[in-house]
Amino acid sequence: MKRAHRIIKIGSSRLSSPSLLVEAHSFIHFLKDFFYRKMSLISQNAGSKNRVKVKRSNVDADEPAFLGVNNSNVDADVPAFLGANKDDEGRIESDLVLSKTKKKRKERDELLEKQLEIEEGKEMKKLENLLFGSLYSPVEFGKDEEKKDSLSFFLDRSLGSVEPDYEEDALMKESDIEEERKAAWLDEEEEKTTINIAKVNRLRKLRKEEDESLISGSQYVSRLRAHHAKMNPGTDWARLDSHSRSDGLSDDELSDEENGIVLARGYKTDTAFDDILRTNEDLVVKSRAKLLPGHLEYSRLVDANADDPSNGPINSVQFHRNAQLLLTAGLDRRLRFFQIDGKRNTKIQSIFIDDCPIRKASFLPDGSKVIIAGRRKFFYSFDLVKAKVDKIGPLVGREEKSLEVFEVSPDSSMIAFVGNEGYILLVSSKTKELIGTLKMNGTVRSLAFADDGQQLLSHGGDGQVYHWDLRTRACIHKAVDEGCIHGTALCTSPSRNLFAAGSDSGVVNIYNRDEFLGGKKKPIKTIENLTTKVDFLRFNNDSQILAICSHMKKNSLKLIHVPSFTVFSNWPPANSALHYPRCLDFSPGGGFMAMGNAAGKVLLYKLHHYDHA
């Protein structure tokens, strides 16, 4: 008995870890069963006098009551746990103490785990800030209260505080610099290096005294900074740490206030106004909208059809509405599509039209189909979605043997073909059936749509320009093109109320359409830079450039600056041969210009004035 009590006493004083406590707990249960059997008879005779009261005042809260017994408070002859087993109330109490102890231990372990996680998170954030910068507390420009350990960069405000007087306040003390910011890296060699500023002529201006010669590396750096700030004073509005004067007005504002034209005070302190000045984005999106005359900035790119050149003259080039797809067609009976990027210009597809040398091919403005025509009494329609070619014609009731000249309406609803004896054939783009005809007095040579397809202009052998209302199918106006005997080309501007008419004499007249319909027959400008028949006219997307060309002479392609009605002096290029130009098109954004020639090449140029293709 005494031996067991001594073992329990020693064990209770040495147990510290939870695993040892569990082992001791199992061992004590074994002893409790053993002694209970031996002492059952004694307990029956002793009765209630031998019950031992367990005193809880000196028991440790973290240990079980029977392990944390203090010998001074327990009867020396009877162990405390024997009395507890004998007394049911004491046993229930010890079980409650044990459960509470386990619960407290579990809560303590959870608390320790949470503290460890918090400490690890702080350590990880600190390491991430050192490696990647301030991820969790982003720096706001213009504020000086940021934490030093969270900055991955600093704003060099030392130059902003330099006064114009170099002799007095140009240099900053190292202590002031350290207070304002902490350098990300220091060169130890700066302090060891000495520089003789009197020996080099261009460094003598850094001297503070006439006989000064050797200075340290850090002083040399500081003086160079101060001298740079002196020679290149920055603008106040661009400095994040600039402060207004005590009266809150600049010199310009004071002078304006005297004249009564001061802006609203609140506008200067508006945060949105400050945000505009702190960004590098364009304040005006269309800052380069106005094209200047005289010199056109461009560069030659890889030929558009370099991946698959044509074996015959190119008669049609046109950009798709998405500006990435280019159509080329010619007398080799092939319709080709290229993806234009200015570098590779990959060919996407090639379609062979067996019985029709292509004179003209054009996208519908909605981009769904391509109309193909030649010197045949029929034409073709190629569906881009289904990749299917449909042969259409001859047109019912017509005897035309050639449908090679046509125009598509801007709303993609109608196709106008040039017919025989002054007839204009109107065909529905959906049903591909003839829906009407128009009749001129002379032969028809060229067509052009206007007013989103509601009006049609025609030009031809009688030298007159006709205006047709397609809703009533009637001619609303006709007038002679000044100086023209036979009209050969016609074009309307997409974004201005202009149209250009070319003749077989090489003269191009540019008219204002409203003035022309009002009875004014005088053109705005007459272009006489071509000496042979005008075969092709084309305005670019914003109507600032007009291209005119003739098939009959080499390099006979001119670009006109429409606002000033002058020819660009550096076009055509002097060192590159355009050969015989046949057709031309501008991309929807104006950035690309493609020109097809009789040699089967499609030359591609980038116009630098325009930002988008």
Side-chain angles (χ1 to χ4, degrees), residues 31-257:
L31 291 179
K32 285 164 63 178
D33 294 337
F34 175 77
F35 285 108
Y36 181 75
R37 294 172 185 175
K38 296 294 184 182
M39 300 299 296
S40 59
L41 296 175
I42 300 175
S43 62
Q44 290 176 1
N45 296 328
S48 58
K49 295 182 179 180
N50 293 330
R51 293 179 182 175
V52 181
K53 296 181 180 179
V54 181
K55 297 182 180 180
R56 303 292 301 169
S57 59
N58 297 323
V59 179
D60 186 20
D62 294 334
E63 297 292 336
F66 52 83
L67 292 179
V69 176
N70 193 335
N71 292 334
S72 61
N73 297 326
V74 180
D75 189 272
D77 296 332
V78 182
F81 61 86
L82 293 178
N85 282 328
K86 190 174 179 182
D87 190 0
D88 293 339
E89 294 179 358
R91 183 171 57 189
I92 294 172
E93 184 179 358
S94 63
D95 292 339
L96 291 174
V97 172
L98 180 63
S99 62
K100 291 181 180 180
T101 304
K102 291 182 179 180
K103 185 176 180 180
K104 290 181 180 180
R105 187 182 295 111
K106 184 177 180 181
E107 292 177 354
R108 182 180 61 186
D109 294 341
E110 291 178 355
L111 182 61
L112 290 175
E113 290 179 359
K114 289 182 180 180
Q115 291 179 352
L116 289 175
E117 290 179 359
I118 293 174
E119 292 178 359
E120 290 178 358
K122 291 181 179 180
E123 187 67 20
M124 289 299 294
K125 288 181 181 179
K126 183 177 180 181
L127 293 175
E128 288 175 355
N129 288 335
L130 292 175
L131 292 175
F132 306 110
S134 180
L135 299 177
Y136 299 95
S137 56
V139 179
E140 296 181 4
F141 294 126
K143 295 184 179 181
D144 298 330
E145 61 269 13
E146 296 90 346
K147 295 181 179 180
K148 294 182 179 181
D149 59 350
S150 65
L151 289 176
S152 60
F153 59 91
F154 62 88
L155 299 176
D156 188 1
R157 297 191 179 96
S158 60
L159 299 182
S161 61
V162 177
E163 297 295 333
D165 189 3
Y166 172 75
E167 297 294 337
E168 296 179 0
D169 301 324
L171 297 178
M172 295 187 65
K173 296 181 180 180
E174 294 182 1
S175 59
D176 297 338
I177 297 176
E178 291 178 357
E179 291 178 359
E180 186 173 1
R181 69 185 189 276
K182 182 179 180 181
W185 174 76
L186 295 175
D187 189 359
E188 298 178 355
E189 298 296 329
E190 286 186 1
E191 297 295 336
K192 301 178 182 179
T193 304
T194 57
I195 300 172
N196 191 343
I197 57 176
K199 186 177 181 180
V200 182
N201 293 334
R202 61 187 178 86
L203 297 182
R204 291 179 181 175
K205 57 181 174 287
L206 301 179
R207 294 181 296 177
K208 295 183 66 176
E209 299 178 0
E210 185 176 357
D211 56 349
E212 187 178 17
S213 59
L214 295 177
I215 60 175
S216 64
S218 60
Q219 291 178 339
Y220 176 70
V221 173
S222 300
R223 295 189 186 186
L224 280 180
R225 286 179 177 271
H227 183 73
H228 176 77
K230 175 185 175 182
M231 301 303 296
N232 302 282
T235 54
D236 292 336
W237 61 266
R239 296 175 183 170
L240 296 177
D241 56 350
S242 61
H243 299 285
S244 59
R245 299 183 306 177
S246 59
D247 55 359
L249 294 175
S250 63
D251 295 337
D252 293 338
E253 289 174 333
L254 288 174
S255 61
D256 291 341
E257 188 178 28

Side-chain angles (χ1 to χ4, degrees), residues 4-19:
H5 183 68
R6 184 167 58 256
I7 293 174
I8 294 170
K9 180 180 178 181
I10 296 172
S12 62
S13 64
R14 295 183 179 180
L15 291 177
S16 59
S17 64
S19 61

